[in-house]
Amino acid sequence: MTGQRPRSVLLAGGGTAGHVSPLLALADCLRRRDPDIAVAALGTQAGLESRLVPERGYELITIPKVPLPRKPSSDLLRLPGSLRAAVAAAERAIDSSGAEVVVGFGGYVSTPAYLAARRRHVPMVVHEQNARAGVANRVGARLTHHVATTFPSTRLPHARLIGMPLRHEIARLDRAASRSAALQHFGLEDHRPTLLVTGGSLGAQRLNSAFQSRVAALRSAGVQVLHLTGAGKAFEVEPAPSGAAYVVAAYTDRMDLAYAVADLAVARAGANTVCELTAVGLPAVYVPLPIGNGEQRFNAADVVAAGGGLLVEDTALTGEWIDEALLPLLADAPRLERMASSAAGVGERDADEKLADMVTAAFVESVAEQR
């Protein structure tokens, strides 16, 4: 295979976990395939990538942040100058890293990366995480025919459906085999229905408030809860001498075990969350974020239609809903089993490998064109 794979790849994406997580999943996959490959990430100094990329052992090259306004504003007037500066910085990143393929995941840095790759005649690959494509990837998809999408409903030129690249420990998780270790890790018991509540790394105040108001009701029903509140949003729960546990933590660095311990999740519907839950076959109640362009609702549409999840509006997620709808669902083990099977039927575990194949294909095609 010598000469059939790139020696250096530049990955562009940042700002949110939705961009950084698949970027890192691809980086890890490329390195598993070829330990000698050079992988660098293009990002900003302010995004999550500034911490997460170096922590995972990859070089981060920063360029200026260039928001692409959705509506006319003063940012639009400043865009040509700021975009030129960012594209020039991205070109320097391509040169310094020796990148032979550029892969973009959307976000602030991807548009400059795509334009720089075109100017440098470097092949590019685009991966879109959300059901509704963002501005950057709509630009990128016009510049290459190597375009990957996560959801069937995404409309981009040249799109190939592959799913979401996931962390290896999530993509290869066997929930049943890991459950015993997961129960021990979180201090939970093996004879109770277990609920995972998570609003992601930033948390979700709606979820936090609703469930905090029903700690006693959940305990009384025999439901044990692992509630991940988000950074800085953890709350105190009175210790119970007996009965079901209610474990509160701001976050966990073992989401694989959080998924293994749970029978049901209540979560936002970010693309990465939806794809992780379906990949591991965990049924969920999805509560889409009620702001933005509505992409979270579309992210959950396929798994909900398949019967692997429920969609609940943000305003409907109340203590009363927990009493009237969630507690009966948690008591219905056969229904949860059917939902788990349906969720797994929608999930995709090998998207990192498929995207790595596309990187190789883009490189091989570029080499052939140069001969």
Side-chain angles (χ1 to χ4, degrees):
M1 292 296 291
T2 302
Q4 295 302 303
R5 291 178 178 170
R7 294 162 295 180
S8 178
V9 176
L10 183 65
L11 311 180
T16 68
H19 294 133
V20 180
S21 294
L23 181 155
L24 291 173
L26 175 62
D28 290 346
C29 183
L30 292 170
R31 187 165 282 179
R32 285 196 306 272
R33 291 183 170 196
D34 179 5
D36 295 325
I37 192 172
V39 180
L42 197 67
T44 69
Q45 293 180 335
L48 283 177
E49 66 274 15
S50 64
R51 176 175 60 86
L52 297 179
V53 169
E55 282 181 358
R56 195 71 72 89
Y58 298 104
E59 178 188 7
L60 177 68
I61 304 172
T62 60
I63 66 172
K65 177 178 175 179
V66 185
L68 297 179
R70 297 180 184 274
K71 298 178 181 179
S73 67
S74 59
D75 290 336
L76 188 60
L77 299 177
R78 293 190 293 268
L79 183 59
S82 57
L83 183 58
R84 277 197 299 272
V87 171
E91 287 186 84
R92 292 193 294 271
I94 291 173
D95 295 342
S96 65
S97 65
E100 295 176 320
V101 181
V102 170
V103 186
F105 293 86
Y108 296 132
V109 301
S110 288
T111 301
Y114 297 144
L115 297 177
R118 184 178 65 170
R119 291 178 65 170
R120 283 292 190 263
H121 304 289
V122 173
M124 68 186 88
V125 178
V126 173
H127 184 273
E128 173 57 49
Q129 295 84 58
N130 289 299
R132 281 186 168 180
V135 175
N137 281 348
R138 293 204 301 269
V139 172
R142 294 179 179 275
L143 304 178
T144 178
H145 58 269
H146 299 284
V147 180
T149 58
T150 300
F151 298 103
S153 58
T154 307
R155 296 291 176 259
L156 283 176
H158 320 298
R160 174 189 169 193
L161 177 65
I162 69 165
M164 175 78 81
L166 301 174
R167 288 171 289 175
H168 201 59
E169 65 269 23
I170 299 294
R172 296 294 172 260
L173 176 66
D174 183 329
R175 288 177 57 224
S178 301
R179 182 172 172 83
S180 178
L183 289 164
Q184 184 175 6
H185 181 81
F186 293 111
L188 300 172
E189 299 176 291
D190 63 0
H191 63 282
R192 299 183 184 278
T194 306
L195 176 68
L196 170 65
V197 179
T198 174
S201 59
L202 299 178
Q205 191 57 47
R206 172 73 66 175
L207 273 62
N208 290 345
S209 298
F211 280 92
Q212 186 176 6
S213 75
R214 288 302 188 270
V215 171
L218 288 156
R219 279 176 166 169
S220 296
V223 175
Q224 58 189 5
V225 179
L226 172 59
H227 187 154
L228 305 177
T229 63
K233 297 177 181 176
F235 54 86
E236 294 291 331
V237 172
E238 290 292 329
S242 61
Y246 196 108
V247 177
V248 178
Y251 67 93
T252 178
D253 57 4
R254 292 301 306 271
M255 281 304 297
D256 55 327
L257 295 184
Y259 293 149
V261 82
D263 299 299
L264 178 71
V266 177
R268 288 299 193 198
N272 207 63
T273 297
V274 173
C275 292
E276 288 189 349
L277 290 170
T278 55
V280 304
L282 180 58
V285 175
Y286 294 102
V287 188
L289 191 68
I291 59 174
N293 63 4
E295 69 269 12
Q296 288 204 356
R297 171 184 294 277
F298 292 96
N299 291 344
D302 292 329
V303 64
V304 170
L310 304 176
L311 194 72
V312 175
E313 298 293 346
D314 187 75
T315 54
L317 198 286
T318 62
E320 290 74 22
W321 177 86
I322 293 172
D323 298 337
E324 297 167 7
L326 186 63
L327 287 176
L329 176 57
L330 285 161
D332 191 344
R335 185 183 179 190
L336 290 177
E337 289 180 7
R338 292 193 299 271
M339 290 178 68
S341 178
S342 297
V346 175
E348 172 58 64
R349 289 175 175 254
D350 297 317
D352 58 341
E353 298 286 350
K354 292 177 180 178
L355 190 57
D357 287 342
M358 292 180 70
V359 172
T360 299
F363 171 72
V364 170
E365 178 183 288
S366 175
V367 171
E369 289 174 351
Q370 294 172 20
R371 287 175 178 169

